[in-house]
């Protein structure tokens, strides 16, 4: 056994104590309201009428298409195609640089042609306001020329004038307005406060022209539920009418953003714990309950295949999205026609590999199912078979009847793949149930999504750990090894005085950033802790080797996902000399919502030598525990 | 006539609503909060707060902020 440390340091996070206590008090108050609502609302509702099981109508389909780039003939042909595919609307960029090339001089001709063409095909138009006019950017901000459109105007009056002129020009034709593209660093070089000012100013200008207009607030990307929760529960709630989501386009990696299971988890929490459109037992906020905005999907942060778009469309349907904008070339009557007029009634399989949902149209139930990798399963694995002959007609969307089945005698097997298949003849009349017995109705909760994930059950454990010398299970309940692709995180396993450690690889020199890896990333299992909202304090104990360079040459802190974004613990110097040291940090305001794909990282940048970490233990602490006066 | 319980409930609801409004975002949520760190110390890699934010943003997202932009973000934190 390795020698254990002389002392365990308790390093409270001073900066977070005040905000954490405030947050907890606040949540306590809202929890009381929620409790009252739980008691009062269902009782009142029961006098009105028995509630039918919830069903979701299909999200209206919107197309992202650059109509301005098309010739009149090509534009007409594309709009005809989209209209025949059932597209309800288009999203068009109303580029500030184009319509107001110099201050106070507006030109609408090109945009008018695009807007009018869409309207002529019976489509609604969502206009995207932005990006920033380059002439409006403050030169003192020294924004690189090719990035100026992603900046913010120096004078808010310029922005207000552009928005107001646009609202006036399109009054009676356009009612839906999106304020800037997803406000992350790729598209928006301002601060959060500046974005909210742009949002509020746009709303004021547009509503003054047409009070019935809908203002869509884009989230920053990757379904950032923590940020959405903060906005919905703040006075900024009055600045928007709908929430716009961007569905992450990173390649699938189990349990990580980009993976459908992660998307479903975030969306379930958004619906049932943030927006309160789901289970009343989870309602945290009476204010939010009264003003839950509809959710519009605005696209993705990157490119996706047509099948991936279709999968996300069905997921959005399951979570009750109002509208779904996707690239025009991913829209096809092959999949829009077979599902037209249907309602989604429940879930059958929630991944992580196989997905299936139950639908009904004109009293005829059917299922839609897909798998991330091609696989063959018995049809009865989706739901009990009611009509074997009908099941034999199961087909890929766009395929001929029977194109997705293998029949051997009385056994019908489904050939699942990325393109969803439509399966008739299943017994879906009653509340559907998944294979593991989880209730399959709506709304879908975090418990539904997490129950479908494989792996050991860790939710009730008091602690999770990583100890890379453990032969069988070096990481239990937290992941590190799978996160070494993240920026600055290409750390390595290395033996150090008899133990397997994770070693940083720091390069102090300028120009060596590519080889500089000072961060050790961790992600707690979502079943153990996810979207904690500051209700579950944790301690993180890091066991590392002493500083061989001497005093104050090696140190680290922890950057973690808190209720107010990423923040740092105080810096901790590692004692000089050989031997294992343990340092304990108390984090009172964790959120751990997989933001950017991780929950916390050890940061050794600022040290003069590398850090060797032998183990990390994360422990849940009792709620309301205070480490500070 | 409102009972004591009714008044207490009203006060609690009012306080809860005020607190809910008080958590309006005031910071650039996409950027790590460096405002509480000590500038020109190990925890900022011996840089200014704005310089450290610039470095970290480049490292994380591959984008260099200008110094003026970074100062603006830190000031809002």
């Amino acid at each position: 056994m390795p020698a254990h440390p002389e002392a365990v340091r308790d390093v409270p996070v001073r900066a977070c104590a005040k905000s954490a206590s405030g947050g907890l008090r606040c949540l306590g108050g809202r929890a009381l309201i929620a409790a009252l609502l739980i008691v009062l609302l269902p009782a009142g509702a029961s006098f009105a009428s028995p509630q039918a099981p919830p069903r979701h109508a299909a999200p209206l389909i919107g197309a992202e298409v650059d109509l301005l780039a098309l010739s009149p003939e090509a534009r007409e042909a594309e709009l005809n195609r989209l209209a025949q595919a059932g597209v309800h609307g288009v999203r068009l960029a109303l580029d500030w640089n184009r319509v107001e090339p110099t201050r106070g001089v507006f030109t609408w001709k090109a945009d008018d042609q695009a807007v009018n063409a869409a309207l002529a095909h019976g489509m609604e138009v969502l206009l995207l306001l932005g990006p920033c006019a380059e002439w409006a950017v403050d030169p003192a901000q020294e924004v690189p020329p090719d990035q100026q459109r992603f900046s913010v105007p120096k004078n808010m009056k310029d922005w207000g004038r552009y928005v107001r002129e646009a609202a006036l020009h399109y009054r009676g034709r356009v009612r839906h307005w999106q304020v800037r593209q997803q406000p992350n660093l790729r598209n928006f070089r301002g601060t959060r406060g500046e974005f909210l000012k742009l949002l509020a100013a746009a709303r004021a200008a547009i509503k003054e022209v047409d009070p019935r207009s809908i203002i869509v607030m884009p989230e920053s990307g990757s379904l950032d539920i923590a940020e959405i929760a903060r906005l919905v529960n703040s006075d900024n709630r009055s600045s928007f009418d709908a929430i716009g989501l961007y569905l992450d386009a990173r390649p699938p990696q189990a349990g990580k953003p980009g993976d459908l299971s992660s998307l479903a988890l975030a969306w379930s929490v958004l619906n049932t714990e943030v927006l309160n459109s789901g289970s009343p037992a989870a309602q945290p906020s009476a204010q939010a309950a009264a003003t839950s905005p509809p959710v519009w999907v605005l696209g993705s942060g990157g490119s996706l295949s047509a099948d991936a778009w279709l999968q996300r469309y069905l997921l959005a349907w399951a979570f009750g999205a109002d509208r779904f904008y996707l690239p025009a070339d991913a829209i096809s009557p092959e999949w829009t026609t077979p599902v037209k007029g249907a309602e989604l009634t429940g879930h059958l399989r929630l991944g992580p590999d196989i997905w299936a949902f139950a639908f009904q149209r004109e009293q005829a139930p059917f299922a839609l199912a897909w798998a991330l990798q091609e696989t063959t399963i018995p049809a009865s694995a989706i739901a009990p078979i009611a009509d074997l002959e009908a099941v034999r007609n199961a087909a890929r969307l766009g395929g001929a009847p029977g194109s997705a089945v293998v029949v051997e005698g009385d056994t019908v097997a489904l050939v699942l793949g990325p393109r969803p298949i439509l399966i008739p003849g299943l017994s879906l009349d009653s509340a559907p149930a998944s294979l593991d017995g989880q209730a399959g109705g709506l709304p879908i909760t975090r418990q539904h999504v997490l129950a479908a994930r494989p792996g050991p059950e860790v939710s009730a454990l008091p602690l999770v750990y990583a100890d890379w010398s453990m032969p069988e299970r070096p990481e239990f309940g937290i992941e590190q090894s799978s996160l070494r692709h993240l920026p600055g995180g290409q750390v390595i396993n290395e033996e150090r005085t008899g133990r397997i450690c994770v070693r940083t690889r720091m390069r102090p020199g300028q120009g060596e950033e590519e080889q500089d890896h000072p961060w050790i990333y961790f992600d707690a299992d979502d079943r153990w802790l996810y979207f904690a909202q500051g209700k579950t304090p944790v301690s993180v104990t890091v066991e590392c080797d002493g500083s061989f360079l001497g005093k104050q040459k090696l140190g680290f802190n922890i950057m973690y996902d808190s209720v107010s974004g990423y923040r740092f613990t105080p810096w901790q110097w590692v004692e000089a000399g050989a031997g294992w040291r343990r340092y304990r940090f108390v984090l009172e305001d964790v959120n751990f919502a997989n933001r950017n794909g991780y929950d916390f990282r050890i940061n050794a940048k600022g040290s003069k030598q590398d850090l060797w970490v032998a183990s990390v233990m994360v422990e849940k602490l009792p709620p309301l525990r205070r480490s500070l006066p | 006539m409102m009972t004591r319980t009714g008044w207490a409930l009203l006060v609690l609801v009012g306080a809860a609503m005020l607190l809910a409004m008080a958590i309006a975002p005031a910071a650039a949520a996409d950027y790590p909060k460096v405002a509480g760190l000590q500038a020109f110390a190990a925890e900022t890699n011996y840089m200014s707060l704005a310089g450290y934010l610039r470095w970290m943003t480049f490292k994380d997202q591959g984008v260099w902020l200008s110094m003026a932009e970074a100062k603006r973000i830190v000031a809002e934190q």
Side-chain angles (χ1 to χ4, degrees):
Chain A
M1 278 294 285
H4 275 285
E6 299 82 11
V8 171
R9 305 298 173 86
D10 202 39
V11 187
V13 182
R14 293 180 181 278
C16 77
K18 189 177 175 184
S19 62
S21 62
L24 288 164
R25 277 198 301 272
C26 171
L27 289 167
R30 283 181 283 147
L32 176 63
I33 296 170
L36 287 169
L37 287 172
I38 294 163
V39 171
L40 296 175
L41 289 182
S46 66
F47 286 106
S49 64
Q51 288 190 338
R55 297 173 169 206
H56 291 165
L60 297 175
I61 299 173
E64 288 183 74
V65 55
D66 186 2
L67 293 179
L68 274 70
L70 300 177
S71 68
E73 296 77 19
R75 183 187 301 153
E76 185 67 14
E78 179 68 348
L79 287 170
N80 279 334
R81 184 186 74 82
L82 293 173
Q84 286 170 6
V87 168
H88 183 81
V90 293
R91 184 173 68 155
L92 304 173
L94 191 67
D95 191 330
W96 188 3
N97 289 286
R98 186 170 59 238
V99 300
E100 193 182 3
T102 53
R103 179 179 279 117
V105 178
F106 289 88
T107 174
W108 306 100
K109 187 177 177 183
D111 293 276
D112 278 351
Q113 289 174 350
V115 169
N116 292 340
L119 294 174
H121 285 78
M123 295 181 189
E124 66 179 24
V125 174
L126 168 62
L127 281 182
L128 169 56
L129 295 165
C132 190
E134 293 179 10
W135 54 258
V137 177
D138 183 359
Q141 291 299 313
E142 299 172 338
V143 183
D146 65 338
Q147 295 283 304
Q148 290 194 342
R149 57 196 285 105
F150 304 125
S151 190
V152 292
K154 179 183 180 184
N155 190 338
M156 285 296 289
K157 287 181 180 174
D158 287 331
W159 167 256
R161 185 180 59 251
Y162 153 65
V163 175
R164 180 177 163 75
E165 289 295 325
L168 282 168
H169 186 78
Y170 289 108
R171 180 161 52 184
R173 288 185 285 173
V174 175
R175 285 182 55 204
H176 300 158
W177 303 87
Q178 177 184 337
V179 180
R180 298 287 300 248
Q181 190 67 281
Q182 55 181 146
N184 59 24
L185 188 54
R186 296 279 175 195
N187 305 300
F188 188 79
R189 293 177 70 108
T191 67
R192 174 60 68 199
E194 287 166 343
F195 172 74
L196 293 173
K197 284 179 185 170
L198 292 175
L199 183 68
R203 177 186 172 85
I206 292 169
K207 294 280 186 177
E208 186 183 340
V209 173
D210 182 357
R212 299 171 307 155
S213 298
I214 303 293
I215 311 298
V216 185
M217 182 211 62
E219 59 125 3
S220 59
S222 309
L223 224 165
D224 188 346
I225 50 176
E227 179 61 12
I228 294 171
R230 287 202 296 162
L231 288 171
V232 167
N233 290 297
S234 75
D235 52 1
N236 294 301
R237 170 67 190 88
S238 61
S239 294
F240 57 92
D241 303 299
I243 294 173
L245 303 184
Y246 283 88
L247 307 184
D248 202 291
R250 276 175 275 186
Q253 186 189 3
K256 298 292 171 295
D259 172 32
L260 281 186
S261 182
S262 289
L263 193 59
L265 177 62
W267 215 327
S268 68
V269 170
L270 176 71
N271 273 3
T272 62
E273 301 174 39
V274 175
L275 301 182
N276 300 300
S277 55
S279 162
Q283 290 182 359
S285 160
Q287 183 187 10
T291 58
S292 283
V295 168
W296 295 21
V297 174
L298 298 176
S300 165
S303 61
L304 290 170
S305 69
D307 288 344
W309 274 116
L310 177 50
Q311 294 167 10
R312 281 156 179 76
Y313 178 76
L314 297 177
L315 207 60
W317 194 339
F319 285 106
D322 197 64
R323 281 169 170 76
F324 193 98
Y325 288 85
L326 72 167
D329 57 11
I331 301 171
S332 156
E334 286 187 346
W335 63 265
T336 59
T337 304
V339 300
K340 189 177 179 184
E343 289 182 310
L344 189 143
T345 58
H347 59 93
L348 302 164
R349 299 285 293 256
L350 290 174
D353 301 317
I354 296 174
W355 295 78
F357 294 99
F359 296 81
Q360 187 140 7
R361 181 173 53 196
E362 297 170 355
Q363 308 303 319
F366 64 90
L368 282 170
W370 72 88
L372 300 182
Q373 305 290 331
E374 188 155 312
T375 184
T376 301
I377 62 168
S380 57
I382 298 295
I385 293 173
D387 181 345
L388 187 61
E389 286 308 308
V391 174
R392 288 173 190 245
N393 287 322
R396 283 199 169 74
L397 288 179
S403 60
V405 298
V406 176
V407 181
E408 289 182 8
D410 287 343
T411 304
V412 178
L414 302 170
V415 185
L416 298 177
R419 166 64 52 133
I421 67 171
L422 191 153
I423 315 158
L426 296 178
S427 178
L428 306 172
D429 293 341
S430 55
S434 64
L435 278 182
D436 54 6
Q438 298 296 318
L442 301 174
I444 299 169
T445 65
R446 73 157 78 193
Q447 288 77 17
H448 291 133
V449 179
L450 292 175
R453 291 190 182 176
E457 177 52 62
V458 296
S459 59
L461 296 177
L463 60 87
V464 291
Y465 70 85
D467 185 335
W468 294 277
S469 294
M470 300 281 271
E472 289 190 3
R473 193 165 273 170
E475 295 174 4
F476 189 70
I478 53 173
E479 290 184 27
Q480 198 296 305
S481 303
S482 63
L483 303 178
R484 295 181 186 180
H485 63 285
L486 292 173
Q490 290 178 28
V491 293
I492 55 173
N493 282 14
E494 190 172 277
E495 189 170 330
R496 186 87 172 164
T497 54
R499 297 186 73 179
I500 304 294
C501 294
V502 170
R503 177 195 173 173
T504 60
R505 292 192 299 144
M506 289 188 282
R507 297 289 181 275
Q510 287 190 338
E512 293 184 303
E513 282 82 6
E514 291 289 320
Q515 293 81 42
D516 190 24
H517 299 284
W519 297 331
I520 306 174
Y521 289 92
F522 293 89
D523 183 31
D525 191 307
D526 294 336
R527 288 168 293 196
W528 191 72
L529 199 61
Y530 177 79
F531 194 57
Q533 293 189 286
K535 296 173 186 171
T536 306
V538 301
S539 68
V540 178
T541 304
V542 178
E543 185 179 17
C544 61
D545 194 18
S547 169
F548 65 78
L549 280 182
K551 192 178 175 185
Q552 297 204 345
K553 300 293 184 187
L554 173 63
F556 66 93
N557 58 15
I558 294 174
M559 190 179 107
Y560 66 99
D561 181 19
S562 79
V563 292
S564 55
Y566 282 116
R567 64 184 312 166
F568 299 86
T569 66
W571 184 259
Q572 176 63 56
W573 289 113
V574 176
E575 286 178 66
W580 299 104
R581 321 289 184 194
R582 296 175 80 192
Y583 301 99
R584 184 169 181 258
F585 301 79
V586 174
L587 316 180
E588 296 194 336
D589 59 345
V590 298
N591 206 31
F592 283 13
N594 294 346
R595 223 167 193 234
N596 295 333
Y598 66 100
D599 290 329
F600 67 94
R601 69 187 181 199
I602 295 173
N603 164 45
K605 192 67 179 176
S607 301
K608 303 297 184 190
Q609 64 160 81
D610 275 321
L611 175 69
W612 280 263
V613 175
S615 73
V616 171
M617 182 174 70
V618 187
E619 189 175 7
K620 284 180 182 169
L621 302 177
L624 302 175
R625 170 180 163 154
R626 293 284 174 272
S627 59
L628 291 171
Chain B
M1 197 70 169
M2 194 172 282
T3 63
R4 287 179 63 185
T5 310
W7 279 111
L9 184 61
L10 193 65
V11 168
L12 279 170
V13 169
M17 289 180 72
L18 283 173
L19 283 166
M21 290 172 71
I23 55 172
D30 282 345
Y31 301 102
K33 287 191 185 351
V34 301
L37 302 179
Q38 186 181 346
F40 306 108
E43 61 184 350
T44 48
N45 198 25
Y46 306 96
M47 301 179 200
S48 66
L49 295 183
Y52 188 58
L53 181 71
R54 285 188 77 222
W55 172 81
M56 191 169 291
T57 303
F58 173 73
K59 193 82 184 149
D60 267 328
Q61 305 196 41
V63 175
W64 279 113
L65 296 168
S66 72
M67 201 54 158
E69 288 177 306
K71 284 180 180 173
R72 220 172 71 229
I73 293 163
V74 174
E76 194 181 274
Q77 292 181 337

